[in-house]
Amino acid sequence: MKELCIDMLSRRGVELDDIAECVMFLQKKYYPDLSHEKALEAVEKVLGKREVQNAVMTAIHLDESAEKGNMDEPLKEILMKDDPLYGIDEVMAYGICNLYGSIALTNYGYIDKEKPLIIGKLNEKGPQCNTFLDDIVGAIAASAASRLAHNR
Ligand code: MG
């Protein structure tokens, strides 16, 4: 299941290395000697959780269904234009962060506001629908950062 999620993320243009870079972005102030390898390891651990895998699969399925037109209106249009008032994409991200406590939640809020690196790229307007994906990537990075903070 974890491998399937890694393949799905990759098909949507997100590699685990990209998420690890977001972890480094979140942790650079608190953990200046954090290596890319350690960040990547934390991302892999987060992706090992069944609840996270379920969120990744659901998120990508919804984005792809909207893109293929395989969804009823008005939901299809809401997802295709990434309506900022929709909010359910963020709620799914909280579902991941809740597994990792309050540090994950505050990290997610920060990364969602700053939109660094791959999260910024996912937010650029293009033919691909990333309404759920950007939040899932942010939540995985935030959770991995929380894991590192707690295990230090
Ligand atoms: Mg979103």
Side-chain angles (χ1 to χ4, degrees), residues 51-104:
E51 297 95 321
V52 177
Q53 295 162 1
N54 288 340
V56 169
M57 285 191 301
T58 307
I60 293 177
H61 176 75
L62 289 168
D63 282 348
E64 288 184 336
S65 296
E67 215 172 281
K68 289 179 197 150
N70 213 351
M71 191 177 274
D72 291 340
E73 295 292 7
L75 187 58
K76 188 184 98 186
E77 198 196 327
I78 290 171
L79 294 199
M80 285 310 289
K81 70 174 191 206
D82 198 2
D83 185 340
L85 296 178
Y86 175 56
I88 306 302
D89 43 346
E90 281 95 17
V91 173
M92 199 187 285
Y94 302 155
I96 292 178
C97 296
N98 280 335
L99 303 167
Y100 289 90
S102 58
I103 295 181

Side-chain angles (χ1 to χ4, degrees), residues 82 89-90 108 112 123 130-135:
D82 198 2
D89 43 346
E90 281 95 17
Y108 168 72
D112 186 45
N123 269 280
N130 295 324
T131 295
F132 279 91
L133 184 61
D134 64 331
D135 299 284

Side-chain angles (χ1 to χ4, degrees), residues 5-145:
C5 288
I6 293 171
D7 288 347
M8 287 180 88
L9 286 165
S10 177
R11 155 172 117 213
R12 302 301 284 172
V14 178
E15 304 300 331
L16 297 198
D17 281 323
D18 298 322
I19 308 180
E21 287 300 321
C22 292
V23 177
M24 308 267 297
F25 169 86
L26 283 170
Q27 287 298 95
K28 64 186 173 208
K29 235 197 268 49
Y30 316 99
Y31 197 160
D33 54 343
L34 175 64
S35 65
H36 182 85
E37 288 65 36
K38 258 207 149 328
L40 185 61
E41 196 185 300
V43 169
E44 295 236 21
K45 282 272 192 293
V46 171
L47 268 173
K49 261 196 196 292
R50 175 57 65 98
E51 297 95 321
V52 177
Q53 295 162 1
N54 288 340
V56 169
M57 285 191 301
T58 307
I60 293 177
H61 176 75
L62 289 168
D63 282 348
E64 288 184 336
S65 296
E67 215 172 281
K68 289 179 197 150
N70 213 351
M71 191 177 274
D72 291 340
E73 295 292 7
L75 187 58
K76 188 184 98 186
E77 198 196 327
I78 290 171
L79 294 199
M80 285 310 289
K81 70 174 191 206
D82 198 2
D83 185 340
L85 296 178
Y86 175 56
I88 306 302
D89 43 346
E90 281 95 17
V91 173
M92 199 187 285
Y94 302 155
I96 292 178
C97 296
N98 280 335
L99 303 167
Y100 289 90
S102 58
I103 295 181
L105 272 169
T106 50
N107 274 325
Y108 168 72
Y110 178 66
I111 206 165
D112 186 45
K113 209 165 180 309
E114 293 291 314
K115 303 201 190 308
L117 306 155
I118 184 73
I119 299 173
K121 273 193 216 144
L122 291 173
N123 269 280
E124 286 166 12
K125 287 279 161 260
Q128 184 172 308
C129 174
N130 295 324
T131 295
F132 279 91
L133 184 61
D134 64 331
D135 299 284
I136 290 294
V137 168
I140 294 171
S143 299

